[in-house]
Amino acid sequence: VTYRDLFGGPVTGEGIARQATIEKQFALALLENDLRHWNAVSEFHPPKDAVSRNYYLKSQLQVARLHIEASNYEEAREALRKILTSG
């Protein structure tokens, strides 16, 4: 399984319904459990405070997990790097 769009670009939250809160966006990502939904968490609700930062970090862990499961180690490394460097 590869998590890239048809043209080899990154998978974004495009086409995902924007939820009213980050908690609801995260819950939707839990149900769907794919890269588009996990990326939508931070795309639609960027980290601005402690709560949104917490959800951002959790969603990036899930992005890394899905990349590892698909043997996309470089993409997983990038997601983990985002977590480590987010201050």
Side-chain angles (χ1 to χ4, degrees), residues 57-77:
L57 294 173
K58 289 179 183 180
S59 67
Q60 287 302 304
L61 279 173
Q62 296 305 315
V63 167
R65 177 186 58 81
L66 289 172
H67 280 305
I68 289 168
E69 289 176 358
S71 299
N72 294 330
Y73 301 115
E74 194 57 41
E75 290 90 347
R77 182 186 333 242

Side-chain angles (χ1 to χ4, degrees), residues 15-27:
I16 304 300
R18 186 183 196 284
Q19 302 300 306
T21 66
I22 195 166
E23 294 87 354
K24 289 181 180 179
Q25 198 76 51
F26 192 86

Side-chain angles (χ1 to χ4, degrees), residues 5-78:
D5 70 12
L6 292 175
F7 302 103
V11 178
T12 66
E14 187 176 326
I16 304 300
R18 186 183 196 284
Q19 302 300 306
T21 66
I22 195 166
E23 294 87 354
K24 289 181 180 179
Q25 198 76 51
F26 192 86
L28 180 60
L30 280 172
L31 291 173
E32 298 298 330
N33 195 32
D34 63 25
L35 280 176
R36 290 176 51 228
H37 283 84
W38 286 118
N39 283 324
V41 173
S42 60
E43 287 180 30
F44 294 143
H45 305 279
K48 298 179 205 164
D49 55 26
V51 171
S52 59
R53 184 175 183 276
N54 187 27
Y55 280 104
Y56 167 76
L57 294 173
K58 289 179 183 180
S59 67
Q60 287 302 304
L61 279 173
Q62 296 305 315
V63 167
R65 177 186 58 81
L66 289 172
H67 280 305
I68 289 168
E69 289 176 358
S71 299
N72 294 330
Y73 301 115
E74 194 57 41
E75 290 90 347
R77 182 186 333 242
E78 189 57 36

